[in-house]
Amino acid sequence: EKIREQVRDIATGPQLDVKAHRIGSFEHFKSLPAEQQNEILRQCIKRIHYVRVMPKEIRKLPARSPEREAYLFHYTIEYF
């Protein structure tokens, strides 16, 4: 039982350290330069799914039309 507990500590220790570092990096997030903010977000976000469901009449418009460009996206963020 003692060995099992030690193995669990060894296996999860580094993972917890990485997660704690990622969470801690958000403390001064707003004061960091944009490049560092992007790097922090890349470490936490796995994928962003963008979905845009448009009515047929808006889909028929050219891609550069203001109505089509202003149509909203719905997104879902997938975290690590």
Side-chain angles (χ1 to χ4, degrees):
E1 193 172 316
K2 186 178 179 182
I3 293 172
R4 285 184 188 166
E5 190 173 313
Q6 289 175 347
V7 169
R8 252 185 274 135
D9 289 342
I10 291 170
T12 59
Q15 292 174 355
L16 293 176
D17 291 342
V18 169
K19 289 180 182 181
H21 174 71
R22 287 178 181 170
I23 291 169
S25 62
F26 281 103
E27 286 182 23
H28 305 289
F29 186 78
K30 288 185 178 182
S31 65
L32 296 173
E35 294 84 16
Q36 286 181 320
Q37 289 179 348
N38 286 337
E39 194 58 40
I40 290 170
L41 291 174
R42 282 188 196 108
Q43 293 175 1
C44 299
I45 296 174
K46 185 175 185 179
R47 185 177 297 148
I48 301 175
H49 301 276
Y50 293 95
V51 178
R52 193 183 221 185
V53 182
M54 291 186 270
K56 287 183 182 180
E57 61 272 2
I58 293 179
R59 264 191 280 147
K60 290 180 182 178
L61 296 173
R64 297 281 183 184
S65 69
E67 295 89 8
R68 189 168 173 167
E69 285 184 345
Y71 206 81
L72 297 177
F73 283 95
H74 298 281
Y75 59 90
T76 308
I77 300 174
E78 187 178 330
Y79 298 95
F80 284 109

